[in-house]
Amino acid sequence: MAGNILLLTLLAISVPLKMTVAYEPSPLQDFCVADTTSPANTSNRFGSSPTPVTVAQVPGLNTLGVSMARIDYAPGGIVPPHLHPRATEILTVAEGTLDVGFVTSNPENRLISKVLQKGDVFVFPVGLVHYMRNVGPIPAVSISGLSSQNPGLITVPGAVFGSNPEMPADFLAKSFQVDQKVVDYLQNIF
Amino acid sequence: MAGNILLLTLLAISVPLKMTVAYEPSPLQDFCVADTTSPANTSNRFGSSPTPVTVAQVPGLNTLGVSMARIDYAPGGIVPPHLHPRATEILTVAEGTLDVGFVTSNPENRLISKVLQKGDVFVFPVGLVHYMRNVGPIPAVSISGLSSQNPGLITVPGAVFGSNPEMPADFLAKSFQVDQKVVDYLQNIF
Amino acid sequence: MAGNILLLTLLAISVPLKMTVAYEPSPLQDFCVADTTSPANTSNRFGSSPTPVTVAQVPGLNTLGVSMARIDYAPGGIVPPHLHPRATEILTVAEGTLDVGFVTSNPENRLISKVLQKGDVFVFPVGLVHYMRNVGPIPAVSISGLSSQNPGLITVPGAVFGSNPEMPADFLAKSFQVDQKVVDYLQNIF
Amino acid sequence: MAGNILLLTLLAISVPLKMTVAYEPSPLQDFCVADTTSPANTSNRFGSSPTPVTVAQVPGLNTLGVSMARIDYAPGGIVPPHLHPRATEILTVAEGTLDVGFVTSNPENRLISKVLQKGDVFVFPVGLVHYMRNVGPIPAVSISGLSSQNPGLITVPGAVFGSNPEMPADFLAKSFQVDQKVVDYLQNIF
Amino acid sequence: MAGNILLLTLLAISVPLKMTVAYEPSPLQDFCVADTTSPANTSNRFGSSPTPVTVAQVPGLNTLGVSMARIDYAPGGIVPPHLHPRATEILTVAEGTLDVGFVTSNPENRLISKVLQKGDVFVFPVGLVHYMRNVGPIPAVSISGLSSQNPGLITVPGAVFGSNPEMPADFLAKSFQVDQKVVDYLQNIF
Amino acid sequence: MAGNILLLTLLAISVPLKMTVAYEPSPLQDFCVADTTSPANTSNRFGSSPTPVTVAQVPGLNTLGVSMARIDYAPGGIVPPHLHPRATEILTVAEGTLDVGFVTSNPENRLISKVLQKGDVFVFPVGLVHYMRNVGPIPAVSISGLSSQNPGLITVPGAVFGSNPEMPADFLAKSFQVDQKVVDYLQNIF
C-alpha cells in the first residue's frame, strides 16, 4: 500500500497524465478521519481535537486542490486563533453549537462571528485569522472543506511567541508595546 | 439583508477589495444546510436528498473557490451517476455506510469504488462520473467539500436522454448502438 | 540536438517534470495529425475518426495549457455524447456540414445546438456533454483547440454502462428507473 | 440578438453562474471564420489574411480561456514576426505547406523552425516571437487554437518602430546600435 | 482624472480587453511612493513608515497581479510581525542594514531569519508571519514586490487582541493559557 | 541545516521539483543584488546593467510566483525595448530620473510613457514591449518586482534579427518591407 502512495505522488504533479495506471482496486483516497461513535480524544488544554485529511496524510489528493478536516470539541472546547496561508475554509456543524469568527484585514480588523447550530455553514476566507469554540452543553463536531490539498496551519500567537528559534524578546516587546517581562512570560507558554 | 447580498456579489468579483465594507454584524456566509435531528426528506424515487451550499445559495462565497454539500440517504437510497464540471469533491460519511465510486476517463473507464464507514473520506476528481449509495441498514448522511463556489452538476443519463430540447433519437440510437425504441424508452423516463 | 532539449526545458515554465525524457531527436512539437488527401479511416460503427494531439502524444505540450484535435466524419458519421473534464473546446468546420451541440448543467439541461457550415466556429464549455454529427452529403472534417494539454475524454454512456468493473446492475436500474434487463442490455453493448 | 450578447458579457465575468439564462435557441458561440470555397482576400503586402475568433468578436468566449484563428496565405504569403502576450498557440496546416518558427528567450535566442505539410501541428509558447510563411506553390490555410479568450497581438517591429507616439529616434538608434537615419527609415515604414 | 481611474477599474476586471481606450497621455500607473531626499516620517512608536502601492492606491494595477511597497526605518525601527493573506513578498534593502525573518507553518514554527545588507534580497512566502527591523546605526529603506495587486495586511497580535469587536477575553485567556488579566492588558494595548 | 531543507520543501506548495538540490547551508532566499556604494558596471554599449533575482539565480523562489531586478544606469544609459513573456513588472526609481514606457498591443500600438523621479512607480503589463532610459544628469537605479519566478526576457530586435540560426533574410525583408540590404545590415548588428 505504501508503494501505491508513493506512485500516486509521483504521478500527481500538475497533470494526472496517466492516473488510471496507478489506481488500484483498493484506492487510497479514502482515509479514516474519525468515528463519532468512538470520538476523538479531546482531553487536552484546548478541549478540542482536529483530524486533518490533506496531501500530507493522503498523497493522492495532490493536484486536486481540496482537503478536509474534522474537529471534535469537548463542552467548552476551543480552537485558538489560527489561519491557513493557502486555503479558504468552509465549515458545517455536525453536532452541537459552535461560536465561530474571523477577523478582516487591516485597517478594519473587524470580527465577524456567529453562533452556529447543527447544520449551519460558515466560511473563513484564505489567510484570515479565525477561531471556533463549543458554546453548547454537549460535545460538538465540525466538518470543514478547504480549497487546497496543502492548506498549512499557523497558530497565531504560536508563530510569534513560540517560533524556533525565538524572535528576540526586545523586538517583540517593542512590537507589542509591552514590558519585556510580558514577552518572556508569553514565550515561556508557547 | 437582500441588499447586502447584492452588494457582496458586486464587490466580490475577482478581488475582495474592500470586502469588510459590506460585512454586517450578521454576515451571510452562514446558511442552514439541514438539521440531522429533523432530517431532509428522502421520500423520492432515489431515496436521497442533496442540500448544496454554493454561490447560488450564498453569494458571499464568490471568489472564495469553495462550496459544500450535505446529502441525506434513506436505507437503499442512491445518488445516480453524475459529475461536477468545475470542481473536485471530497466526501466524508457523517452517518451510516456508503458505497461510493468514480470512473476514470478513456480508454480505461476503470471504476474505483469503496464501501465507506462513518468517518471515512473519499475524493472524486474534477469532471469524473461518480455515484454514492447507502448500503447500510440505517439512514446515512455525507458531507462534501467542493473546490469551486460554482461546481455545477450534470446527471449523466439526464444530460443525454433528458435534454431540452431532446437530442435526435436516431442520433442517440446510433451513439449507443441500440434500437431506436430503447432510446424512445429512455427519453420518456428522463 | 541535445541543445534543443535543454532549451525547451528552460522554456518550460512551471512543471518540466521529466518532460525531456520524452523528447526525440526530431523535435516533437510538430506532429502529423492526419492528411485530408489521405483521410482517416472512418469505417467504424460511428463513422468518425478522432486524431488528438495532447500531451500524451506530444510531451512538449506539457505546461503549455493547450491541445488540438482533428476529427474526420463519413457522411452520417457521428461523435457520440462525451465531455472533457479539464478543457473547453473550440471547434471549426474545415470540410462539410456538422450538427453540433452541448447540454447545459442542471437543472435546465438545455440543449444548445447549431448546424455549422465550412468555416463556422462553436465552443463547448469545460465539462459539459457535447456531440458532433455529419449532416451533409459528403465527408466532413473539424479542427478543435482545447484549453488543456491533457483534456481527458469521457464517453457518457460508456463511463456509466461500460466501466471496468461494472457498476452494480440494480443500482443502475434504480438510477435510470428502468427494468434491470435494460441495464443488462446496455452493459452488454458498452 | 445584440441584447443577448451584452447579457452574456455581463454574466460571464468569472463564473458562468446562470449562463443558461442568457442562452437562446440560436446561440452566439458560433461565428463565421471564413469559407475556404470563397477564400479570404490575401491581396495585401504580406500575402496573408488572419481571421481571429476571440472574445472581441464573440463575447460568449469570456471566461472560457480559449480562442481560435484561421489564416489564409497566398503562395509566398507571410505572417511577419509577432507574439501573443497572453496565450500559447497551437497550429495545424489545413492546406498547403508552411515554414513556421519561434525564437526562445534570452540569452539563447534560438530559432526553432519546421516546414509543415498539410495535417502537421506546431506549438508557439506564450509570449515568444513567431512567424509563418507559405513556402509551397499553392495557397495555404492554417487553423490555430489559443489558450486565452483575449490573446492579444504584438507585431514586433511595429511595436518598436510604429508606436503612437513614436519612441525617440535617438533612443532607438542607441538601442539597435544603428545610425539614426536607419531608425528614421524604419519609422517611416511602420 | 478621477474619471479615468474609475474607467480603468471597470475595464480591468479579468481581461484588459480594450485597456488602451482608457489610457491617457498621463497614465495613472505611476505614483509617488516616497522620495528618499525627503524621507517618510518614522516618528511613531515603531520607528517605521510603510508606503504601499496596491490596487487600493492605483486602480490600474487591477488584474496585473503585482504591487509594491517601500518601507522607511529609523535606527532601531521595526515592522512588527504581520502577514499578507494573498501575496508572497520579495524584499531588497535599498539603504542600511535589516534583520528580517519569517516563521514556517505548524508544527515546526521554525524562524528563518537573516541580517541583510544594502542590496541583499529575501523572500516571505504567502501567508507566513514575518518581520523586519533596522539593526544598523543609520536610517534604512527597503523596497518590496508583492505577487498580488491586493495583498492584504494582517498584524498578528492586532488581529487577535485588537479586533473590533473584541474576541471574548476568557476565550483568549484559554487560547493562550494565560490569566485573563494578561488578555485584558493586551487588549488595552491593541 | 538538513532540517531547514526539509522544512522548505514542505513549504513549497506545488512543484518542489528538486528545489532542495540547489539549497545551500546559507539559505539562498537572500542574494546580493548589488550594492549602490559600489555600483554595477555600466560601461557597455547601452550604459546599463541589470541584476536579476529569479528562480534561475535563487531556486528557492520556485512556486512563489515573484522575482526582482535591479538596474543601474549611467547618465544617458538605456535598456532597449524588450518584454517579459510570463510576468508583469512594477518598477520604482531608487536614484535619478528615468523615462520609461510601454506599447499597447494591436491595433493601437499606443506608447504610454512617463518621466519618473526618485520614488515614482510605473507598471509594465505582461508581454508588452517596454523600455527605460536615464534622462537625468547622474547615474540612476531602479528596482522592479515581477509577477513570476521565471519571467523570461525577449529583446525585441534581438529575437527577430539576432536569432540562432537566423530567420531568412528575404522573409525579414518582406516582413518589414525593406530592402534586403537593410536586413543584412541589422542581422550583422544583432
Side-chain angles (χ1 to χ4, degrees):
Chain A
M1 201 60 180
N4 287 340
I5 294 175
L6 181 61
L7 188 50
L8 263 184
T9 307
L10 291 177
L11 282 175
I13 294 173
S14 187
V15 231
L17 187 55
K18 289 185 177 175
M19 59 181 294
T20 61
V21 173
Y23 276 105
E24 289 297 304
S26 300
L28 27 118
Q29 272 93 349
D30 66 281
F31 193 84
C32 183
V33 179
D35 183 341
T36 54
T37 59
S38 56
N41 187 345
T42 56
S43 301
N44 53 46
R45 60 178 176 171
F46 295 129
S48 71
S49 174
T51 311
V53 183
T54 71
V55 75
Q57 286 82 32
V58 183
L61 284 177
N62 205 4
T63 79
L64 293 179
V66 80
S67 58
M68 190 165 250
R70 171 200 165 114
I71 304 175
D72 288 83
Y73 311 77
I78 65 169
V79 177
H82 66 284
L83 61 91
H84 307 290
R86 291 179 294 274
T88 289
E89 177 176 357
I90 186 167
L91 171 147
T92 189
V93 178
E95 301 288 341
T97 303
L98 293 180
D99 169 33
V100 303
F102 68 89
V103 181
T104 65
S105 58
N106 279 10
E108 283 83 2
N109 280 332
R110 182 177 292 267
L111 172 65
I112 312 291
S113 68
K114 181 88 177 174
V115 173
L116 306 179
Q117 305 300 329
K118 189 176 181 173
D120 284 350
V121 173
F122 200 85
V123 66
F124 309 113
V126 59
L128 299 192
V129 173
H130 58 282
Y131 71 89
M132 305 86 163
R133 59 174 186 151
N134 183 352
V135 293
I138 59 166
V141 177
S142 67
I143 303 286
S144 293
L146 296 110
S147 64
S148 166
Q149 69 264 24
N150 184 22
L153 171 63
I154 298 176
T155 49
V156 178
V160 174
F161 296 106
S163 70
N164 175 15
E166 292 183 342
M167 293 189 195
D170 62 332
F171 165 66
L172 290 176
K174 184 168 185 178
S175 289
F176 307 146
Q177 307 284 306
V178 297
D179 193 275
Q180 194 164 324
K181 287 176 191 166
V182 177
V183 170
D184 293 341
Y185 176 72
L186 292 170
Q187 287 186 326
N188 272 342
I189 296 171
F190 296 101
Chain B
M1 201 63 180
N4 286 340
I5 293 176
L6 181 62
L7 186 52
L8 261 185
T9 307
L10 292 177
L11 281 175
I13 296 173
S14 187
V15 231
L17 186 56
K18 288 187 178 174
M19 58 183 293
T20 60
V21 173
Y23 277 105
E24 289 297 303
S26 299
L28 26 120
Q29 271 94 348
D30 67 281
F31 193 84
C32 183
V33 177
D35 183 342
T36 55
T37 59
S38 56
N41 188 346
T42 57
S43 301
N44 54 46
R45 60 180 175 171
F46 295 128
S48 70
S49 174
T51 310
V53 183
T54 72
V55 75
Q57 287 81 33
V58 184
L61 283 176
N62 205 5
T63 78
L64 293 180
V66 81
S67 57
M68 190 166 252
R70 171 200 164 116
I71 304 175
D72 288 85
Y73 311 75
I78 65 170
V79 178
H82 67 285
L83 62 88
H84 306 291
R86 291 179 293 273
T88 289
E89 177 176 356
I90 187 167
L91 171 148
T92 190
V93 178
E95 300 289 342
T97 302
L98 294 179
D99 169 33
V100 303
F102 67 89
V103 182
T104 64
S105 58
N106 279 9
E108 283 83 3
N109 279 332
R110 184 177 292 269
L111 172 64
I112 311 291
S113 67
K114 181 88 176 174
V115 174
L116 305 180
Q117 306 300 329
K118 189 175 180 174
D120 283 351
V121 173
F122 201 84
V123 67
F124 309 113
V126 58
L128 298 191
V129 173
H130 58 283
Y131 72 88
M132 305 87 162
R133 59 175 185 151
N134 183 353
V135 293
I138 59 165
V141 177
S142 67
I143 304 286
S144 293
L146 296 110
S147 64
S148 166
Q149 69 263 26
N150 183 25
L153 171 63
I154 297 176
T155 50
V156 179
V160 174
F161 296 107
S163 70
N164 176 13
E166 291 183 342
M167 294 188 194
D170 63 331
F171 165 67
L172 290 177
K174 185 168 185 178
S175 288
F176 307 147
Q177 306 283 307
V178 296
D179 192 276
Q180 197 166 321
K181 287 177 191 165
V182 177
V183 170
D184 292 341
Y185 175 73
L186 292 169
Q187 285 186 328
N188 271 341
I189 296 171
F190 295 103
Chain C
M1 204 54 193
N4 285 342
I5 293 174
L6 180 60
L7 262 180
L8 284 165
T9 306
L10 292 175
L11 282 177
I13 310 167
S14 175
V15 223
L17 183 65
K18 294 192 180 176
M19 61 182 288
T20 60
V21 173
Y23 276 105
E24 290 296 304
S26 300
L28 22 117
Q29 266 92 351
D30 65 282
F31 192 86
C32 184
V33 177
D35 183 342
T36 55
T37 58
S38 56
N41 188 345
T42 57
S43 301
N44 54 47
R45 61 179 176 170
F46 295 129
S48 71
S49 174
T51 311
V53 183
T54 72
V55 75
Q57 287 81 33
V58 184
L61 284 177
N62 205 4
T63 78
L64 292 180
V66 80
S67 58
M68 190 165 253
R70 170 201 165 115
I71 305 175
D72 289 84
Y73 311 78
I78 64 168
V79 177
H82 67 284
L83 62 89
H84 306 291
R86 292 179 293 275
T88 288
E89 177 176 357
I90 187 168
L91 171 148
T92 189
V93 178
E95 300 289 341
T97 303
L98 293 179
D99 170 34
V100 303
F102 68 89
V103 182
T104 65
S105 58
N106 279 9
E108 283 83 3
N109 279 333
R110 183 177 293 267
L111 172 65
I112 311 290
S113 68
K114 181 88 177 175
V115 173
L116 305 180
Q117 306 300 330
K118 189 175 181 173
D120 284 351
V121 172
F122 200 85
V123 68
F124 309 113
V126 59
L128 299 192
V129 172
H130 59 282
Y131 72 89
M132 306 87 164
R133 60 174 185 151
N134 183 354
V135 293
I138 59 165
V141 178
S142 67
I143 304 286
S144 294
L146 297 110
S147 64
S148 166
Q149 68 264 23
N150 183 24
L153 171 64
I154 297 175
T155 50
V156 179
V160 175
F161 296 106
S163 69
N164 175 15
E166 292 183 342
M167 294 188 192
D170 61 332
F171 164 68
L172 290 177
K174 183 168 186 179
S175 289
F176 308 146
Q177 306 284 305
V178 297
D179 193 276
Q180 195 164 323
K181 287 176 191 167
V182 177
V183 170
D184 292 341
Y185 176 72
L186 292 169
Q187 286 187 327
N188 271 341
I189 295 172
F190 295 102
Chain D
M1 200 62 180
N4 287 338
I5 293 175
L6 181 61
L7 187 51
L8 261 185
T9 307
L10 292 176
L11 281 175
I13 295 172
S14 187
V15 229
L17 186 56
K18 289 186 178 174
M19 58 181 293
T20 61
V21 173
Y23 275 105
E24 288 298 303
S26 300
L28 28 118
Q29 270 94 348
D30 66 282
F31 193 84
C32 184
V33 178
D35 182 342
T36 55
T37 59
S38 56
N41 187 346
T42 56
S43 300
N44 54 46
R45 61 179 176 171
F46 295 129
S48 70
S49 175
T51 310
V53 183
T54 71
V55 75
Q57 287 81 32
V58 184
L61 283 176
N62 205 3
T63 78
L64 292 179
V66 81
S67 57
M68 190 166 252
R70 170 200 164 116
I71 304 175
D72 288 83
Y73 312 77
I78 65 168
V79 177
H82 67 284
L83 62 89
H84 306 291
R86 290 180 294 274
T88 288
E89 176 176 356
I90 187 168
L91 171 147
T92 189
V93 178
E95 300 289 343
T97 303
L98 293 180
D99 169 34
V100 304
F102 67 88
V103 182
T104 65
S105 59
N106 278 11
E108 283 84 3
N109 280 331
R110 184 175 292 266
L111 172 65
I112 311 288
S113 67
K114 181 89 176 174
V115 174
L116 306 179
Q117 305 300 329
K118 189 175 180 173
D120 283 351
V121 172
F122 201 85
V123 67
F124 308 113
V126 59
L128 298 191
V129 173
H130 58 282
Y131 72 89
M132 306 87 163
R133 60 175 185 151
N134 183 352
V135 293
I138 59 165
V141 178
S142 68
I143 304 286
S144 293
L146 296 109
S147 64
S148 166
Q149 68 264 25
N150 183 24
L153 172 62
I154 297 176
T155 50
V156 179
V160 175
F161 296 106
S163 70
N164 175 15
E166 292 183 341
M167 294 188 193
D170 62 332
F171 165 67
L172 291 177
K174 184 167 185 179
S175 288
F176 307 147
Q177 306 284 307
V178 297
D179 192 276
Q180 195 165 324
K181 288 177 190 167
V182 177
V183 170
D184 293 341
Y185 176 72
L186 292 170
Q187 286 186 327
N188 271 341
I189 295 172
F190 295 102
Chain E
M1 200 61 181
N4 287 339
I5 293 175
L6 181 60
L7 187 51
L8 262 184
T9 307
L10 291 176
L11 281 175
I13 295 172
S14 188
V15 230
L17 186 55
K18 289 188 178 174
M19 59 183 292
T20 60
V21 173
Y23 275 107
E24 288 298 303
S26 299
L28 28 118
Q29 270 92 350
D30 66 281
F31 193 84
C32 184
V33 178
D35 183 342
T36 54
T37 59
S38 56
N41 187 346
T42 57
S43 300
N44 53 46
R45 60 181 175 170
F46 295 128
S48 70
S49 174
T51 311
V53 184
T54 73
V55 75
Q57 287 81 32
V58 184
L61 283 176
N62 205 3
T63 78
L64 293 179
V66 80
S67 57
M68 190 166 251
R70 171 199 164 116
I71 305 175
D72 288 85
Y73 312 76
I78 66 169
V79 178
H82 67 284
L83 61 89
H84 307 291
R86 290 179 295 273
T88 289
E89 175 176 357
I90 186 168
L91 170 148
T92 189
V93 178
E95 300 289 342
T97 302
L98 294 179
D99 169 34
V100 303
F102 68 89
V103 181
T104 65
S105 57
N106 279 11
E108 283 83 3
N109 280 331
R110 182 175 293 268
L111 172 66
I112 311 288
S113 68
K114 181 88 176 174
V115 173
L116 305 179
Q117 305 301 331
K118 188 175 182 173
D120 283 351
V121 173
F122 201 85
V123 66
F124 309 112
V126 58
L128 299 191
V129 173
H130 59 281
Y131 71 88
M132 305 86 163
R133 60 174 185 150
N134 184 352
V135 293
I138 58 166
V141 178
S142 67
I143 304 286
S144 292
L146 297 109
S147 64
S148 166
Q149 68 265 24
N150 184 24
L153 171 63
I154 298 176
T155 50
V156 179
V160 174
F161 295 106
S163 70
N164 175 15
E166 292 183 342
M167 294 189 193
D170 62 332
F171 165 67
L172 291 176
K174 184 166 185 179
S175 288
F176 308 145
Q177 306 283 306
V178 296
D179 192 275
Q180 195 165 322
K181 287 178 191 166
V182 177
V183 171
D184 292 341
Y185 176 72
L186 292 170
Q187 286 186 328
N188 271 342
I189 295 172
F190 295 102
Chain F
M1 205 54 195
N4 285 341
I5 292 176
L6 180 59
L7 260 180
L8 284 165
T9 306
L10 292 176
L11 281 176
I13 311 169
S14 174
V15 223
L17 183 67
K18 293 190 178 178
M19 61 182 288
T20 58
V21 173
Y23 276 104
E24 290 295 304
S26 301
L28 22 119
Q29 268 92 351
D30 66 282
F31 193 85
C32 183
V33 178
D35 182 342
T36 53
T37 58
S38 56
N41 187 345
T42 57
S43 300
N44 53 48
R45 59 179 175 171
F46 296 128
S48 70
S49 175
T51 311
V53 183
T54 73
V55 74
Q57 286 82 32
V58 184
L61 284 177
N62 205 4
T63 79
L64 293 180
V66 80
S67 58
M68 190 166 251
R70 171 198 165 117
I71 304 175
D72 288 84
Y73 311 77
I78 65 170
V79 177
H82 67 284
L83 62 89
H84 306 291
R86 291 179 295 273
T88 289
E89 177 176 356
I90 186 167
L91 171 147
T92 188
V93 178
E95 299 290 339
T97 303
L98 293 180
D99 169 33
V100 303
F102 68 89
V103 182
T104 64
S105 59
N106 279 8
E108 283 83 3
N109 279 332
R110 183 177 292 268
L111 173 65
I112 311 290
S113 67
K114 180 89 175 174
V115 174
L116 306 180
Q117 305 301 329
K118 188 174 181 174
D120 284 350
V121 172
F122 201 85
V123 68
F124 308 113
V126 59
L128 298 191
V129 172
H130 58 281
Y131 72 90
M132 305 87 163
R133 60 175 186 151
N134 183 352
V135 293
I138 60 165
V141 178
S142 68
I143 303 287
S144 294
L146 297 110
S147 64
S148 165
Q149 69 264 25
N150 183 23
L153 171 64
I154 297 175
T155 51
V156 180
V160 175
F161 296 106
S163 70
N164 176 15
E166 291 183 343
M167 293 188 192
D170 62 332
F171 165 67
L172 290 177
K174 184 168 185 177
S175 289
F176 308 147
Q177 306 284 306
V178 296
D179 193 275
Q180 195 165 322
K181 286 177 191 168
V182 178
V183 170
D184 292 341
Y185 175 72
L186 292 170
Q187 286 187 325
N188 272 341
I189 295 170
F190 295 102

